[in-house]
Amino acid sequence: MIFKKIILSAAFVLTAFGLSAQVENAGGVRKRTEQDKKKTETETRVSDRMQDFFETKETHDADLSYMRQIYRRLDLSKAANSPLYFPEDVVDGQENLFRIILMLVVDGKIPAYEYLDGREIFTDQYKVNVADMLQRFDIYAQEGKGSTEKNPRFVIEEADVPTTQVLNYYIIEKWEFDRRSNRMKTRVEAICPVLTRSGDFGDEARYPMFWVKFDALRPYIAQQRVFLSDDNNLATHTIDDYFNLGKYDGEIYKTRNLRNLSMAQMFPDEDDRKRAQDSIDRRLRTYGKDLWVPSREEYLAMKEKEAAEAEAKAAGDSIPERTVVEASDSDSGKAASVRAKKRSSSKRTAKAKKASSKKPKVSSSSANSGAAKSVRRRRR
């Protein structure tokens, strides 16, 4: 009987310890869950705050007097665009632009939109299905943790990211003249990676992948620093600075027009197309200057400057004419110099002869006295 009581008391004690341990574990799990939840909410708030900070507010149409959309192609083989291509692999935390964009899209952090060839619509209806996109471009990926049907997530190995095949980017520039500030504003609205692969006959073909809105991308590329030149090996700027400062070099391949035609379709001749591209660039960059009306003082100062430049030009033009005449008639110049030397030597000779031929003047009194002396000597 005593032994039975001891067993029952021991079982009771063990049960009590087990319940307390479970309660403590439950409390710890609850605390960790709440901490993770708070951490996730904090990260979400930071991300939203960063997104609001980098988002560009659309200018109201009432404040605009001019707006134009320009499509440019950035060739990464150009030196100015090389910061977007290198490094090809991840080096010391440095990633190139395509790797950043692709990882953000497959993680579901930023949306991607269909490439519609000049009629881009950034709405939910035209969002890219990530799985279909990866399959279409033969990019091998595995389903990641937390992936759902509505928010799929994928994991791509480093070797499967085709960074070396993205040799071009398409960007949409928006040029707006704000009448409130009286200046032209330029911003990048969207960017599209373009795969370059060999075709069936050995020629290269370009495959635009998808559009990404630049404002959604800015919080992430603002943290990635790049080298802008080989002269300075210190990464002092970010990819966001690179675009905002207009460091890229891109040719205009299309402008928004009613017929949705590219520059190659509008200008089949390459020389005509180049002149049209230069003309569009020049008009965009000088649009604000053409609207500028100077004051009376500025106008008079400008006229004085023009008059001074005209006088300087006229004086500068007259000197080369004399130089050309003298240079073109070198023989006559030489002859003239020889004749001048002869004339100077002959003049000097004539002067010397004239000086030697002159006799000193003798006064009449001295002449008479000398004659009287000689007469008196003869008489003696």
Side-chain angles (χ1 to χ4, degrees):
M1 188 70 180
I2 296 172
F3 183 72
K4 186 177 182 180
K5 287 181 179 180
I6 294 172
I7 293 174
L8 289 174
S9 60
F12 177 77
V13 171
L14 292 173
T15 305
F17 275 115
L19 290 174
S20 61
Q22 289 180 2
V23 171
E24 290 178 359
N25 291 335
V29 170
R30 191 183 303 110
K31 288 181 180 179
R32 286 196 298 271
T33 304
E34 290 177 356
Q35 290 176 358
D36 294 341
K37 186 177 180 181
K38 288 181 180 179
K39 184 178 179 181
T40 304
E41 290 177 354
T42 303
E43 291 177 352
T44 304
R45 286 197 301 270
V46 170
S47 179
D48 293 341
R49 198 160 54 243
M50 291 178 65
Q51 190 66 51
D52 293 338
F53 176 77
F54 286 103
E55 185 177 359
T56 304
K57 304 299 181 183
E58 291 286 344
T59 308
H60 196 274
D61 291 344
D63 298 332
L64 297 178
S65 61
Y66 179 86
M67 191 275 289
R68 193 167 189 183
Q69 282 188 351
I70 304 296
Y71 294 77
R72 293 185 185 271
R73 182 175 71 89
L74 308 184
D75 185 0
L76 300 188
S77 62
K78 295 183 178 180
N81 302 326
S82 59
L84 303 180
Y85 180 80
F86 295 101
E88 298 177 358
D89 300 323
V90 181
V91 179
D92 296 333
Q94 296 285 333
E95 298 180 274
N96 65 4
L97 180 60
F98 175 67
R99 187 184 296 274
I100 295 173
I101 293 176
L102 184 63
M103 293 306 176
L104 291 174
V105 170
V106 299
D107 287 343
K109 294 182 179 179
I110 62 173
Y113 301 91
E114 292 286 349
Y115 179 83
L116 301 176
D117 193 16
R119 300 191 185 277
E120 284 67 33
I121 304 174
F122 303 122
T123 60
D124 294 341
Q125 181 182 356
Y126 293 94
K127 281 186 178 180
V128 169
N129 187 304
V130 179
D132 295 342
M133 182 270 296
L134 295 174
Q135 185 177 2
R136 182 166 68 250
F137 294 109
D138 296 329
I139 301 175
Y140 179 73
Q142 297 177 349
E143 190 172 341
K145 293 181 180 180
S147 178
T148 60
E149 186 176 354
K150 291 184 178 180
N151 296 316
R153 295 184 179 182
F154 300 90
V155 177
I156 304 177
E157 298 295 333
E158 295 292 335
D160 297 326
V161 180
T163 54
T164 58
Q165 298 179 5
V166 177
L167 304 179
N168 297 273
Y169 284 100
Y170 292 157
I171 65 171
I172 302 177
E173 279 182 347
K174 184 171 281 190
W175 292 72
E176 300 173 336
F177 188 83
D178 190 353
R179 65 179 67 188
R180 288 181 177 270
S181 59
N182 287 329
R183 67 186 184 93
M184 182 72 80
K185 298 179 181 178
T186 310
R187 61 186 177 91
V188 178
E189 187 176 18
I191 185 168
C192 172
V194 182
L195 283 174
T196 303
R197 289 176 174 172
S198 300
D200 296 335
F201 300 99
D203 54 341
E204 292 185 346
R206 299 193 188 111
Y207 300 96
M209 298 182 67
F210 49 79
W211 287 105
V212 172
K213 294 193 71 173
F214 190 71
D215 286 349
L217 187 63
R218 288 186 66 191
Y220 304 97
I221 61 176
Q223 304 175 25
Q224 185 64 55
R225 296 189 172 274
V226 293
F227 304 101
L228 296 185
S229 67
D230 294 335
D231 296 332
N232 188 1
N233 298 137
L234 185 64
T236 56
H237 294 79
T238 64
I239 300 180
D240 184 51
D241 298 331
Y242 173 85
F243 280 101
N244 291 328
L245 295 174
K247 296 295 185 179
Y248 54 86
D249 181 10
E251 65 172 5
I252 300 174
Y253 75 90
K254 191 174 186 178
T255 61
R256 187 173 182 181
N257 55 83
L258 297 176
R259 296 180 293 171
N260 194 30
L261 298 178
S262 64
M263 297 293 290
Q265 292 172 326
M266 297 173 66
F267 304 96
D269 184 72
E270 186 175 356
D271 294 335
D272 294 342
R273 184 165 61 253
K274 180 62 177 175
R275 282 192 291 268
Q277 291 169 343
D278 294 340
S279 176
I280 293 171
D281 256 331
R282 185 170 56 254
R283 279 183 289 170
L284 289 173
R285 300 184 190 282
T286 60
Y287 181 84
K289 296 180 181 179
D290 295 339
L291 299 179
W292 174 71
V293 179
S295 63
R296 184 175 181 276
E297 291 77 11
E298 292 173 339
Y299 178 77
L300 294 176
M302 184 172 58
K303 285 296 182 182
E304 290 179 0
K305 183 179 179 181
E306 291 178 355
E309 290 177 353
E311 291 179 0
K313 185 178 180 181
D317 290 342
S318 60
I319 293 173
E321 289 178 0
R322 290 195 298 269
T323 305
V324 170
V325 171
E326 291 174 1
S328 62
D329 196 9
S330 59
D331 294 337
S332 60
K334 289 180 180 179
S337 62
V338 171
R339 288 195 298 269
K341 288 180 180 180
K342 287 182 178 180
R343 283 198 300 269
S344 62
S345 61
S346 61
K347 285 182 180 180
R348 287 195 297 270
T349 305
K351 286 182 180 179
K353 288 181 179 180
K354 188 175 181 180
S356 61
S357 62
K358 286 184 178 181
K359 294 181 179 180
K361 293 182 179 180
V362 180
S363 62
S364 59
S365 59
S366 61
N368 294 334
S369 61
K373 289 180 180 178
S374 61
V375 170
R376 283 194 293 273
R377 286 194 189 101
R378 283 197 300 269
R379 287 178 181 178
R380 288 177 184 177

